[in-house]
Amino acid sequence: MDKQANYRTNVIGGGEAGVAVTVEMDKEAIHQTNSLFWDSKGNEVLGATALPFYGAFVSEENHQLFGKVRGKKILEIGCGSGQSLQYLGERQAAELWGTDISENQIDKTRQLLAAHGLSVELICAPMEAKCGLPEDYFDIIYSVYAIGWTTDLEGTFARIASYLNKDGVFIFSWSHPIHKCVAPEKDMLIFKKNYFDESWYSVELGGNTLALSDRKMSTYVNALAKAGFIIEQMIEESDDHLLEAQGDNSDFAKKARVLPVTFVVKARKL
């Protein structure tokens, strides 16, 4: 993954994360970089975002996108440490499945669900890859703050559509692209990055390197349409009660009050 000479500011999580270096798009190299990141200190550096939260200040308990999951066959893309699967398993989902690029994350998920008496089928593979998941099988597929790691958004959405039953639901959340462009500076919010720039970059966090691309909102919408999904609901605003309940007056919370930091989409396979 060759680094180019141009540098830019990037926003990860609640604020700036040092200098991001533009890199060539190389799927294999990006997969290796990101799997190593999550195999090592990914959770320590970025934490774990899991249901009932879709990301910063947005919750399933407030928006009820899943509805009743009892008896449903459910797949998580990017299962992380398994907390979201546990949340749905405790609500009587019929089958729990998960994929992740990191063997370490898969092991954490397996241990967590076993400790809570829940059965799960887990596959370690990039979400873009054909990895043996059954087609026309799942009622719900979801991804909490993981879908943005894909190196092939259109291909990933097409695969997800192939795994779903007709009329199956796909729910995913990710960092809002506007949030990734704006950072606080001297009590103001300043654009630090071109919204239209979707090039890949690497950034070092906690002594580890990750690779990402910040896609436009239209890129997600168009990829969903191409894969045969219809959008039923989209959430951009923060949940007021979460902002107020936490009494959070950080720069990040102030930012979340005036622009979207997380977005969530619920789509259905036609």
Side-chain angles (χ1 to χ4, degrees):
M1 191 163 58
D2 296 329
K3 296 182 178 181
Q4 297 176 354
N6 50 325
Y7 293 78
R8 64 176 188 239
T9 302
N10 185 61
V11 177
I12 298 283
E16 292 187 36
V19 176
V21 183
T22 302
V23 296
E24 294 292 338
M25 170 48 168
D26 181 327
K27 288 185 180 182
E28 184 175 349
I30 289 169
H31 288 158
Q32 290 176 350
T33 295
N34 290 336
S35 62
L36 179 59
F37 176 78
W38 288 107
D39 276 340
S40 52
K41 295 184 177 180
N43 285 133
E44 294 177 30
V45 176
L46 292 182
T49 301
L51 294 174
F53 300 103
Y54 286 108
F57 311 119
V58 183
S59 71
E60 165 63 11
E61 292 175 348
N62 187 40
H63 296 282
Q64 297 292 305
L65 299 181
F66 278 83
K68 295 188 182 301
V69 300
R70 180 188 291 272
K72 303 288 188 181
K73 293 174 287 187
I74 298 178
L75 166 66
E76 179 172 16
I77 304 295
C79 61
S81 301
Q83 294 95 331
S84 293
L85 286 168
Q86 178 192 344
Y87 176 86
L88 296 169
E90 290 173 348
R91 283 153 181 79
Q92 273 72 66
E95 293 184 26
L96 300 174
W97 294 62
T99 70
D100 202 280
I101 197 172
S102 163
E103 288 280 6
N104 186 40
Q105 299 289 71
I106 290 288
D107 288 343
K108 287 180 179 179
T109 296
R110 184 176 289 109
Q111 292 169 21
L112 177 69
L113 269 64
H116 288 84
L118 295 170
S119 176
V120 63
E121 295 286 341
L122 297 170
I123 296 174
C124 185
M127 63 185 80
E128 307 90 332
K130 188 171 184 178
C131 56
L133 285 165
E135 296 189 351
D136 302 313
Y137 186 77
F138 296 98
D139 302 300
I140 301 172
I141 298 177
Y142 73 97
S143 179
V144 176
Y145 256 60
I147 208 73
W149 295 90
T150 181
T151 59
D152 178 4
L153 190 69
E154 288 188 358
T156 295
F157 283 175
R159 287 208 185 280
I160 288 169
S162 73
Y163 304 146
L164 279 168
N165 288 326
K166 187 178 184 303
D167 297 323
V169 169
F170 175 36
I171 300 168
F172 73 94
S173 67
W174 186 246
S175 181
H176 199 287
I178 287 293
H179 160 52
K180 299 298 290 294
C181 295
V182 177
E185 185 176 298
K186 296 180 180 179
D187 296 322
M188 295 185 293
L189 292 174
I190 307 296
F191 262 85
K192 297 281 191 172
K193 175 184 174 292
N194 181 350
Y195 175 82
F196 302 106
D197 181 4
E198 295 187 313
S199 60
W200 281 83
Y201 60 87
S202 69
V203 63
E204 289 193 9
L205 290 175
N208 295 272
T209 302
L210 58 83
L212 284 170
S213 168
D214 298 328
R215 299 176 176 93
K216 307 185 300 290
M217 190 62 71
S218 60
T219 300
Y220 290 100
V221 172
N222 292 333
L224 284 168
K226 187 172 182 179
F229 286 102
I230 183 170
I231 295 175
E232 292 191 342
Q233 191 170 351
M234 180 173 172
I235 299 162
E236 293 183 294
E237 66 276 9
S238 298
D239 295 356
D240 288 337
H241 75 282
L242 290 179
L243 282 167
E244 299 308 321
Q246 296 182 27
D248 193 340
N249 202 35
S250 66
D251 284 341
F252 187 37
K254 291 177 182 177
K255 184 179 182 182
R257 289 184 173 94
V258 298
L259 59 79
V261 296
T262 296
F263 77 96
V264 191
V265 171
K266 178 179 180 179
R268 190 173 298 275
K269 178 181 174 179
L270 294 175

